[in-house]
Amino acid sequence: MSTATPLIDRVNSTKPWYAHRWPWLLMLGPFLVVIAASYTGWIAFTRQDALVVDDYYKQGNAINQDLHRDAVATKLGLSLNARYDVANGKLSGKLLSSSQPVAGKIAIHLAHATQPEKDIELQAQLDGQGNFEAALPALDMGRWGVTVENEQREWRLMGAWLWPQQRTIELKADLPPAD
């Protein structure tokens, strides 16, 4: 009879299961999944979905009116070039027209790509040459939708601006291609 005991018997007889690292390592995967699922559930229940609007039918009917405003901007040959001065908190630029001088007030709408609560509305007065300046608070990094229109909402310019990769906003009136 042999006095040496097998290695497995010696390990099992000296330590309880929770003293070994292998059970804990095997339980780590499911535990991390539970934590990740809880965090995902918390995000889903605490954040409002901003991608779907309630009045999508009304917005769909308004598309034809908006296309008319784009056509007016194209007919006028409108273009906008603006620069954001972060240090002074100002957006300044020039609105040009090929057929007639642009005067009056303009509205500049900066729409955050995913968080509508961060959208910004600016009002600016154009001088005789089409120059304007408006106070603009600090912006978050990301993609911003830019819409510029006159006070009477007769025309509009639209485009996208990637801040801070693009230091300037350049918009030119173009009709979308017909399908």
Side-chain angles (χ1 to χ4, degrees):
M1 183 148 116
S2 169
T3 60
T5 59
L7 180 62
I8 294 175
D9 288 342
R10 274 190 290 163
V11 170
N12 286 339
S13 64
T14 59
K15 290 185 181 178
W17 71 269
Y18 53 83
H20 296 279
R21 69 177 154 183
W22 292 111
W24 296 108
L25 187 61
L26 292 173
M27 287 186 281
L28 181 63
F31 177 74
L32 291 177
V33 169
V34 169
I35 296 297
S38 300
Y39 180 68
T40 303
W42 176 79
I43 289 174
F45 286 111
T46 59
R47 303 264 183 355
Q48 181 180 358
D49 296 333
L51 302 177
V52 179
V53 294
D54 292 336
D55 58 348
Y56 64 91
Y57 183 74
K58 288 180 184 177
Q59 288 185 0
N61 285 336
I63 288 175
N64 288 337
Q65 293 172 347
D66 290 342
L67 291 178
H68 173 71
R69 292 172 43 202
D70 293 340
V72 171
T74 301
K75 184 178 178 184
L76 294 173
L78 294 176
S79 64
L80 177 118
N81 192 336
R83 181 165 189 77
Y84 179 42
D85 183 3
V86 181
N88 294 326
K90 294 197 184 269
L91 180 68
S92 58
K94 191 168 199 165
L95 179 65
L96 299 173
S97 173
S98 62
S99 60
Q100 60 187 10
V102 180
K105 289 185 178 180
I106 59 171
I108 304 167
H109 180 77
L110 300 173
H112 192 274
T114 59
Q115 299 173 3
E117 66 272 6
K118 293 186 178 182
D119 290 0
I120 299 171
E121 290 283 342
L122 304 173
Q123 302 291 326
Q125 178 68 44
L126 297 170
D127 66 8
Q129 290 79 33
N131 296 314
F132 68 90
E133 191 172 89
L136 180 60
L139 290 176
D140 289 347
M141 292 177 52
R143 180 182 173 92
W144 291 86
V146 181
T147 303
V148 179
E149 56 191 5
N150 65 344
E151 200 171 25
Q152 297 80 20
R153 297 177 50 100
E154 298 167 333
W155 53 263
R156 75 170 179 184
L157 293 172
M158 293 182 67
W161 180 36
L162 295 173
W163 170 254
Q165 293 89 348
Q166 297 174 330
R167 295 290 180 183
T168 61
I169 303 170
E170 295 179 11
L171 303 176
K172 185 172 180 179
D174 289 324
L175 282 176
D179 288 334

